[in-house]
Amino acid sequence: MIKTFKVSSIFLTSIIFFGMIFSACTPNMGTSGLRGKTSQTLTGANLSLGQGFVLADNPVVLAGNLNLDPNTDLNTLVAGAYITNKGFLTGAAPCDGLLPCFEVLSTRTSLSALQTTDGKWAYNVTTPEFLQTNTFYHLNKSIDLFYNNLAASRTFSTRPGYDSAIPTLLTFRTEPLHTYANCEVADNANFDYAKFTLCFGYLSGNTNMKFAQDSTIIYHEAGHFFQKLQLNFRNDVPSTVAPQADMGTVFYTEAGSIGEGLSDFYSYYVNGRAHLGEWAAGRILRASRPISESESMHAPGISTDPSQRLNYPQFLNYDPNNPMTPVEDIHYAGMIISHYLVALSQDFQSYCLMPKQAANNMITHLLNETLAELGDLTTKGTNLGTAGKINYKNSGTLAKDWYRVINPINYRSFTQTFAKNLYQNMQSIPACNGAFYGKDRIETLLDDYGLLLFRTYNQNRNYATVGDNTVSVAATNRKKSSLISKTLLKLDPTPGASSAFIIDAQNQIADGVAQLGAAGAILTDHSFISGFPFNNGNSRVSPGEVVAIGLNLYNDSNATMGGIQVLANDWNHVDPVSGKPYIFDQWPLVSEGGTAAPATVAEQFSPVCLIQGRSADGSSTQWITQNAYRQKVAVDKTMCLDSSNTGTSDKDCFIRAVKGVEQAQYSKLAPKSNWGKTLTDPQTQAAYGIGWSNVILFQVSKHVPPGTIVNCRLRARFTNCEECYHDANRSNYDYKDLDYNGAAPFKIINLQFSIID
Ligand SMILES: [Zn+2]
């Protein structure tokens, strides 16, 4: 039986979206790329038609002053630039699907894009018109660069013998990207992947400071837009019904972290500077970000020396603005990827003598390939691929379930696919100063970042067979990347420690479910009873409640574990014919109702929670499915919770994980430590608040007989795990997608509790 304790005041009540997140810390900024001050008399008289005023970089950089007064007159920093001759701030119009099109408006309530009255775009910096002009200029610049590179990337990908993930026929949605330059949101800028909008807000502490005044923030947010396009190159983009892939969810995930790192890289891609967000984010919120270890803002001991890179998973919780205090946040976790990509670009520049833009174009090409393949919900992956190569199967929600929960993008899958593309592209053309960019060089830099976590390049994915041309990583190149046995991930064995945290207070659950629902995180209609009247806040699981459960996981190894994920989705752990649970890790015993698991995994899905019953003669404990228990206790089927929502299934009659909130994530576990201890502030000993990312949401039927004992068979894994992704029994080839529907790639965690009032 698990022991639980109550978590009340520290439970997060807000969900941060894809924008930049900020925290208050001390400034200590880098100094790269600072330019001299420019001066400008603000009159449109000298501008030609189509020209206007812009801030060519962010004000801190333009002024060459890291401590630029937030109230400084930004009119002194603007310069004339060509904006557009169109008369409206619309880009790539008409939206015919052949170009990614966009328009810039003032706020969400604006009726149309800004129109010029005199053919020029000369506005005072303090006006909303200036914000729109500046946003348009930088957004257009980054989209032009991205699109021109994409055109070259497609041409490059059509060379003979190369199997590209970029489709030969590319179409974009005809609905423009709506961009709000004077957005109503405080202290943030974001890309809303569901509404397809960009929003640049203001600073609540100084409302004259706007995110649209900082070009690097515009490039970062445009980067999220690019990722959405890249991930869906192979999906049916113009359609509104075809499933779409996104880089992460509203929760902390490694996919979301990588997405933030890629967005930071796009700032470097456009302006070549290794820092972003120095103006509003940096000056007031102390939340600018470096994109290279060469930036002086970094903590001591971090440099571009191979031994001092931002390596995984050690630096997942590192905020350079406040390096002593750990934080679980996708923006800071993503710095590992942004720094890796900039380091790779710099290696292309110094070792291969590529011009900077060519180096960045090559990396963006590799990102086109990587995200197009990973996001492919048609499951072909590449132009020559056949269905079922990636994301399991294009049928119902299966591909999306695999993409979202069962085999999602993480630091391992992303870098493995990226490295494969790097290898296939740089080995087929002598792009490195007339030579090939070597495999050892690819692997060594990844290893400097702790990211050499895969044993093969897995280029054949679900069609890999032992003995085919799968390329293996040289084991001698793995020096800093540590792979840890899954057996060392366990429930906290410390005497007296809780196994899990249960949150069942009515207000916390009501708030959370409302927010998760609004964010689109709850994926099916779970028909919650309004007001959660059965939630009693006693930190136990009671009939009728909706409860959040977080495991108290422990890393029993001497190295850091990263990307811990706990899954409560349905999986293949029950015999569909006999209804008996399969035996995994000697549970349940044959005498307790278990039956041997078959050698291969099937496409069969059973809810994680089993129920304790008794044998027919009452002499022994039996673990049985929920439908078997329903028949035993004679609860009518119409009283069941029903994951199918058709009123016909009783397979999760009494308790079910809420789809969309059926996985919990923990950024990392320090050696010999649990998550709470890993994230405790070492200076103040302040505990870190558990958030919605860290829990699984369960719904319990009010018809459960009190005293019912439940065993939820959860599956856990982590990114730098030895047995969770490659299969030692098959020459360390990666597991196939269907294998992830079984037990082998996971550490199984049996969470037992009784349902009582
Ligand atoms: Zn972002």
Side-chain angles (χ1 to χ4, degrees), residues 456-467:
T456 77
Y457 284 54
N458 196 31
Q459 68 267 41
N460 301 312
R461 296 202 174 267
N462 287 325
Y463 297 123
T465 50
V466 174

Side-chain angles (χ1 to χ4, degrees), residues 18 224 227 247-249 251-261 330-331 334 409:
F18 264 48
H224 288 305
Q227 291 166 51
M247 204 68 189
T249 64
F251 304 107
Y252 175 93
T253 59
E254 291 207 335
S257 304
I258 292 163
E260 294 303 334
I330 53 176
H331 304 84
I409 294 175

